[in-house]
Amino acid sequence: MLSALPFSFSAPLALAALALLPALWLILRVTPPRPRRIDFPPLKIMADLIAKRETPAHTPWWLLALRMAVAALAILAVAGPVWNPVRDAAPSRGPVLLLIDNGFGAATDWPERVAVAESRIAAATREGRPVAVVGLAEAPAAIALAEPRIALDRLRALPLQPHAPDRAAYLPRIEAFLQSSPTAEIVWVADGLGVSDNGSFLARLKQDAEARRLAIHAAPPAQLALAAPENLAGALTVKVLRPVASAPATGQVRALDLKGLPLGNAPFIFEGSNLETTARLTLPIEVRNAVSRLEIIGERSAGAVALLDDRAKRRRIGLVSGATADTAQPLLSPTYYLSRALQPFAEIREPRQGSTDPIGEMLAQNLSVLVLADIGALDRETAEKVTSFVERGGVLLRFAGARLAAASDELTPVRLRRGGRTLGGGLSWESPRKLAPFTRESPFFGLTINDDIRVNRQILAEPEPNLSRKTWAALEDGTPVVTAERRGDGLIAMVHVTADTTWSNLPLSGLFVDMLRKIVNLAGNGPTVETQGDETKVETLSPTRVLDGIGQFRAAPATAQPVARNYAGRATLAHPPGLYGPTDGSLAVNALTPTDTLAALDLASLGVAVLPIDEPVARDIRPPMLVLALLLLVIDTLATLWLGGRLNVARLRRAAAPAAILIALAASFALAPDSARAQQPAPNAQADSRPPIPRALLANGAQTRLAYVVTGDQAVDDMSKAGLTGLNTVLGARTALEPGDPVGVSVERDELAFFPVLYWPIVAGRPLPTAETLRKLEAYMKGGGLVIFDTRDAMSARPGGGTTPEGDQLKRMLQTLDIPELEPLPRDHVLTKTFYILDELVGRYDTGTTWVETLPPADSDGRRPARAGDNVSPIVITANDLAAAWAIDRRGEGLVPLSGGDPRQREMALRGGINLVMYALTGNYKADQVHVPALLERLGQ
């Protein structure tokens, strides 16, 4: 039988044409005689009129064999020859069950996997065996056999899914199929990755392997994946996973915004044989909050993509405590536990010591969440400010304490009980109480409650009909511990125990951190639960944009279903990875959860040889046969021409000589003009054709001047000029520097090298600088210039609420600009002590963050250097509108009112401007002066 041979044919009936080769031999062996060349003598015409009988000549045997080979190859090619490697065991006669991993782990070589599966179906077609195709990343369904032709159509229609296959879910279906078809052969095209538990699946396949009815195709696992993106205090981090140590050890992670614009890259390196590492992107908080997608460059897989939603935005949180500050014993302060619990995922702000309006000071800093720890009664003006903050979408989180128990206001989600068995309405028990499990309607549902958490005191809530709906956490006896209520677009939440350990040990547990994270993530989002009559319904979010198998965004398929607002699971077929819900309150579902790892499947334990996927099981050798037949046909044609006298080598050789001469002459003429011109000296080679230096440039270089970028907005340009003029006045009065009048420059046209400081106010909607302009700006910064980008949006910017138009304009401008890594201005940075000793750089506003070049990390002694190197930071980014604060008249009075409550804010702004100019002019020498004691100690003096 043909199936027992290494060769098989898809159309074996065509081989019958080989029987015609003997007849073809007889036909081809006769050829007409070669024509003779005869001169034309007119006198011998009559003599040649006598007819002569000629016999035909025979074709040379080698030419005849060549033609027979061409005919045989053509017949074999028509028969569809296929090369089948010899198998280790006799082939099965039963049906074929083709299992294929079509999850994200197969994305890197999906075409090769489909080709292997197609070759298996082709082999089944030749052997007359039915085939069942099963995609293990699809929803489990009954397995049905079909003709190979239909199975091939199903295979080609099988999509590459963006989630990991759930192989164990298919076990009952596979068992039912094998019971009905016990002689079936299982072919598994595996991706080699294990994300979930695959022990039961491998154990079942091992039974078929022992019966020699299992074949596996797999490639060495080399996929990379991302998991657990976190927006930490200093950077955006993400875990990079690999299944084996032989996978790639280095790479880059790219951050993109919702529009697909790149925001930054970060390298990663696997140390040794580690299977997990971390990529760290150090970006400004405004840029980090705009990141919606992280991807591994060069990896085309949904597993190599990590999506970030509104929960990943780093909110700005203000902490206000009613307790007396005691820095000597920080463990007694309620804000101590709060700041350390919130610091991993939020930006913490606290009021200045001695502030007369700490809550107003915090609300002026564009908070997302305001935390009040044991704050008692609020005056009317403060209460109105807090109420307005909540109704506009803010979150108010209150903690209980003795002051709150004795006070009363409307900024609580429930009415608090006054009095009771403890002073101030607090209730105490002889034995501490435990927390009850969280209900499904609670945002805390799914969090693990530590068994050692105990509550000693709490403020009780007055009974009311809706108390159960407002309760997010309760004790075993049902008394609320955490309550919440929506007010306008915001939320008021209350923890009925203190933020320190005086009433409970909850602040010492990891549950405290998780609960705070859940509450903070609600800032700017809609309600997590909807109340309809007496029923409570969990809010669901519909998919808006989901990923396909290679990690590209696409429209949600028909199989995608909504997810609950608190969904935290791994992506599935019903919930593919992507973004769910509205843009301002989206939920990201990723292919991997934060706790997932990549592991290589132990295929060797099955006891069968793992076949590669880059080579098909059966090779179609029709193409090489047709190519060989074509080559032999060309040789036959040349031989026929030669035997017929039409292929004269000598004549071709004579014709080739003139052609070669013509080609050589053409080449020499083509090269002659260039060489001739090269011999001639260029006229006026020594003459200097450069234009003379303009007098304006000579004037700028003769005296130190500060410059500002002309934006085209007259009001902004006038304020920039007034601000630098005021700063020049203060510089001339307080320092040895006497700067000239400030100059408005155009970065595109003017020379920047004469100006040590360039102030650039950002105006939204202006055309972006060209690529040539940005390169010019790069050269200016690398040459020692200092550029101050001022977005002037500290009052309108709100962390967690998206970037402002000015911030978005700056982000697009800096995308292609070569700038160093930035960080918030450290307190010990040399910029804070070049002339005056300052804590921060303020302007018209005092709530913005100042960004400078990142300093080196701390040494082994824990001390961090005050400078990044021998050069100054080439860039400073602020949002505090410096020029407006510097703008003063001749009497020193400000031209623009300031927004802060500090009466010395303008003076501090001017001092900051002096520090900036001194920093640009003198470099980092102050860092050495500050460290004189350490330097002398090292020198042994």
Side-chain angles (χ1 to χ4, degrees):
M1 297 179 64
L2 292 177
S3 60
L5 300 175
F7 276 109
S8 63
F9 299 90
S10 59
L13 294 179
L15 297 177
L18 294 175
L20 302 177
L21 288 181
L24 186 64
W25 171 280
L26 295 176
I27 296 174
L28 296 178
R29 66 189 301 267
V30 178
T31 185
R34 176 178 178 179
R36 293 181 300 152
R37 182 180 183 88
I38 301 175
D39 296 333
F40 183 70
L43 297 179
K44 294 187 64 176
I45 293 179
M46 300 301 294
D48 292 338
L49 291 178
I50 301 176
K52 296 181 180 179
R53 184 176 180 178
E54 297 180 351
T55 58
H58 292 285
T59 304
W61 67 269
W62 55 269
L63 183 59
L64 184 60
L66 185 65
R67 293 174 178 176
M68 296 296 293
V70 172
L73 287 175
I75 294 173
L76 291 175
V78 172
V82 177
W83 172 260
N84 294 310
V86 180
R87 302 185 180 182
D88 296 336
S92 173
R93 297 290 101 201
V96 177
L97 174 58
L98 181 58
L99 306 177
I100 181 168
D101 287 338
N102 60 326
F104 67 80
T108 54
D109 47 10
W110 178 246
E112 290 80 1
R113 296 176 182 275
V114 174
V116 168
E118 288 178 348
S119 67
R120 281 287 185 175
I121 295 178
T125 302
R126 293 186 296 271
E127 297 168 357
R129 304 163 63 188
V131 181
V133 178
V134 175
L136 294 178
E138 305 297 324
I143 302 176
L145 291 171
E147 297 180 2
R149 174 179 54 82
I150 299 177
L152 184 61
D153 293 338
R154 292 179 180 175
L155 172 66
R156 292 172 176 171
L158 193 66
L160 179 65
Q161 298 291 358
H163 56 272
D166 188 3
R167 305 182 181 97
Y170 254 105
L171 272 180
R173 309 287 182 177
I174 296 176
E175 291 285 357
F177 174 81
L178 293 178
Q179 289 178 2
S180 61
S181 303
T183 60
E185 178 187 9
I186 300 178
V187 178
W188 181 21
V189 183
D191 59 18
L193 292 182
V195 177
S196 57
D197 185 14
N198 296 276
S200 58
F201 183 80
L202 295 178
R204 179 61 185 86
L205 291 186
K206 190 172 183 180
Q207 300 176 14
D208 297 279
E210 295 173 353
R212 306 184 69 81
R213 292 188 294 112
L214 175 65
I216 301 177
H217 293 269
Q223 303 92 329
L224 299 178
L226 297 179
E230 288 188 277
N231 198 346
L232 301 179
L236 183 63
T237 64
V238 63
K239 289 197 303 184
V240 187
L241 309 175
R242 61 176 179 175
V244 292
S246 58
T250 61
Q252 292 250 346
V253 173
R254 176 167 53 202
L256 302 99
D257 63 7
L258 197 58
K259 298 179 180 178
L261 299 176
L263 302 178
N265 295 350
F268 63 85
I269 300 176
F270 288 93
E271 298 292 341
S273 60
N274 293 342
L275 303 182
E276 179 180 319
T277 187
T278 301
R280 185 181 181 89
L281 292 98
T282 305
L283 300 169
I285 184 173
E286 292 80 8
V287 179
R288 279 185 278 136
N289 285 341
V291 175
S292 64
R293 174 188 173 105
L294 299 173
E295 63 182 17
I296 301 177
I297 299 178
E299 287 283 330
R300 294 178 57 83
S301 165
V305 176
L307 300 177
L308 292 89
D309 53 24
D310 198 60
R311 298 173 300 177
K313 294 181 179 179
R314 196 169 181 84
R315 271 75 172 184
R316 180 175 294 172
I317 300 179
L319 301 182
V320 181
S321 173
T324 303
D326 190 352
T327 57
Q329 299 180 2
L331 292 178
L332 300 180
S333 171
T335 57
Y336 175 81
Y337 300 93
L338 288 171
S339 60
R340 277 150 185 80
L342 294 169
Q343 191 173 12
F345 53 87
E347 180 186 357
I348 308 300
R349 293 293 180 92
E350 295 187 48
R352 299 189 304 270
Q353 293 185 8
S355 175
T356 58
D357 184 15
I359 296 179
E361 180 181 339
M362 290 292 95
L363 293 178
Q365 299 188 25
N366 299 320
L367 303 177
S368 297
V369 180
L370 175 64
V371 180
L372 303 181
D374 193 18
I375 296 294
L378 301 175
D379 60 82
R380 179 180 301 177
E381 182 179 355
T382 302
E384 290 177 353
K385 291 180 181 179
V386 176
T387 301
S388 176
F389 163 75
V390 173
E391 292 178 348
R392 288 185 286 106
V395 172
L396 172 64
L397 176 59
R398 305 193 70 172
F399 282 84
R403 294 174 177 82
L404 182 59
S408 176
D409 57 54
E410 299 298 327
L411 292 174
T412 55
V414 295
R415 292 184 296 112
L416 303 179
R417 178 178 299 180
R418 307 305 169 192
R421 287 182 287 178
T422 59
L423 181 62
L427 178 64
S428 63
W429 304 275
E430 295 180 359
S431 59
R433 299 296 178 93
K434 298 181 180 180
L435 291 177
F438 300 122
T439 62
R440 183 175 295 275
E441 295 77 15
S442 171
F444 307 142
F445 179 75
L447 298 181
T448 302
I449 300 177
N450 300 339
D451 189 61
D452 57 349
I453 296 178
R454 296 293 186 273
V455 175
N456 301 317
R457 286 186 176 183
Q458 69 174 141
I459 293 182
L460 292 178
E462 290 286 355
E464 59 178 272
N466 296 328
L467 181 59
S468 60
R469 300 193 188 116
K470 296 180 180 179
T471 301
W472 286 0
L475 296 182
E476 294 174 321
D477 59 359
T479 54
V481 175
V482 180
T483 56
E485 182 185 30
R486 282 281 169 183
R487 299 280 182 89
D489 294 334
L491 174 72
I492 297 179
M494 179 176 177
V495 182
H496 291 241
V497 295
T498 57
D500 54 20
T501 58
T502 56
W503 287 19
S504 72
N505 62 353
L506 178 63
L508 298 177
S509 66
L511 177 63
F512 186 66
V513 179
D514 295 334
M515 293 172 66
L516 290 178
R517 186 191 296 269
K518 293 284 187 180
I519 296 175
V520 170
N521 287 340
L522 297 176
N525 295 339
T528 58
V529 295
E530 296 178 355
T531 308
Q532 298 179 356
D534 295 333
E535 298 181 359
T536 302
K537 180 182 178 182
V538 178
E539 182 195 9
T540 58
L541 302 175
S542 298
T544 54
R545 302 175 68 189
V546 300
L547 298 178
D548 58 13
I550 61 175
Q552 299 297 322
F553 278 117
R554 63 168 179 172
T559 56
Q561 300 177 6
V563 299
R565 166 66 76 175
N566 56 358
Y567 182 81
R570 189 187 302 127
T572 61
L573 182 64
H575 307 309
L579 298 176
Y580 292 70
T583 304
D584 56 349
S586 61
L587 174 72
V589 176
N590 286 304
L592 298 175
T593 63
T595 59
D596 282 339
T597 58
L598 285 187
L601 291 176
D602 187 13
L603 300 179
S605 63
L606 300 179
V608 296
V610 179
L611 303 176
I613 64 170
D614 54 353
E615 296 181 3
V617 176
R619 290 182 178 272
D620 186 359
I621 58 176
R622 281 180 297 180
M625 279 190 173
L626 292 175
V627 171
L628 180 59
L630 182 61
L631 291 178
L632 294 179
L633 188 60
V634 172
I635 296 174
D636 176 83
T637 303
L638 295 177
T640 302
L641 293 175
W642 177 65
L643 292 175
R646 293 182 176 86
L647 189 64
N648 195 327
V649 179
R651 186 183 302 171
L652 294 177
R653 187 179 303 169
R654 289 193 300 269
I661 295 174
L662 291 176
I663 293 174
L665 290 176
S668 62
F669 280 117
L671 296 176
D674 292 339
S675 58
R677 283 192 296 268
Q679 301 298 326
Q680 298 176 0
N684 301 328
Q686 304 298 326
D688 190 354
S689 59
R690 293 175 296 179
I693 300 177
R695 292 187 176 182
L697 292 182
L698 293 176
N700 290 335
Q703 189 176 17
T704 302
R705 297 173 185 268
L706 307 181
Y708 63 92
V709 175
V710 176
T711 63
D713 188 313
Q714 189 63 38
V716 174
D717 295 341
D718 291 344
M719 184 57 65
S720 299
K721 182 176 182 180
L724 294 184
T725 302
L727 182 61
N728 282 352
T729 302
V730 177
L731 284 169
R734 303 184 186 183
T735 69
L737 176 65
E738 295 182 359
D741 295 335
V743 180
V745 298
S746 171
V747 181
E748 297 180 358
R749 300 189 305 269
D750 297 330
E751 176 59 50
L752 305 178
F754 299 100
F755 310 106
V757 178
L758 180 65
Y759 178 76
W760 194 327
I762 304 300
V763 179
R766 305 301 299 174
L768 293 177
T770 62
E772 183 180 357
T773 303
L774 293 178
R775 301 293 83 77
K776 181 179 179 182
L777 188 63
E778 285 180 6
Y780 169 73
M781 291 191 295
K782 293 179 180 179
L786 173 63
V787 181
I788 304 173
F789 290 105
D790 195 342
T791 58
R792 306 172 296 111
D793 58 354
M795 287 296 293
S796 57
R798 182 174 181 178
T803 58
T804 62
E806 292 80 7
D808 188 62
Q809 178 87 354
L810 179 60
K811 179 180 68 175
R812 295 199 304 270
M813 184 187 304
L814 299 183
Q815 282 176 357
T816 59
L817 196 62
D818 185 15
I819 59 176
E821 185 179 356
L822 304 179
E823 68 173 350
L825 180 66
R827 288 184 176 274
D828 57 347
H829 196 278
V830 67
L831 184 55
T832 62
K833 53 179 71 74
T834 52
F835 198 85
Y836 291 101
I837 298 179
L838 305 173
D839 293 332
E840 56 183 349
L841 298 181
V842 299
R844 184 179 183 182
Y845 315 117
D846 60 354
T847 58
T849 303
T850 302
W851 294 85
V852 295
E853 182 179 355
T854 301
L855 295 178
D859 54 18
S860 58
D861 298 334
R863 292 180 297 183
R864 199 179 187 195
R867 64 181 181 183
D870 292 334
N871 297 323
V872 300
S873 173
I875 181 173
V876 174
I877 300 178
T878 183
N880 286 331
D881 197 357
L882 303 182
W886 295 340
I888 57 176
D889 56 18
R890 296 180 179 179
R891 298 178 299 175
E893 300 292 336
L895 300 181
V896 178
L898 307 184
S899 65
D902 188 356
R904 303 186 65 214
Q905 181 173 337
R906 191 179 305 278
E907 170 62 22
M908 303 308 293
L910 290 171
R911 293 185 180 186
I914 294 176
N915 278 20
L916 283 169
V917 176
M918 295 295 107
Y919 180 62
L921 293 176
T922 62
N924 288 293
Y925 85 99
K926 272 287 186 179
D928 294 332
Q929 290 189 352
V930 171
H931 296 156
V932 164
L935 293 174
L936 294 178
E937 181 181 355
R938 292 183 181 181
L939 294 174
Q941 299 179 3

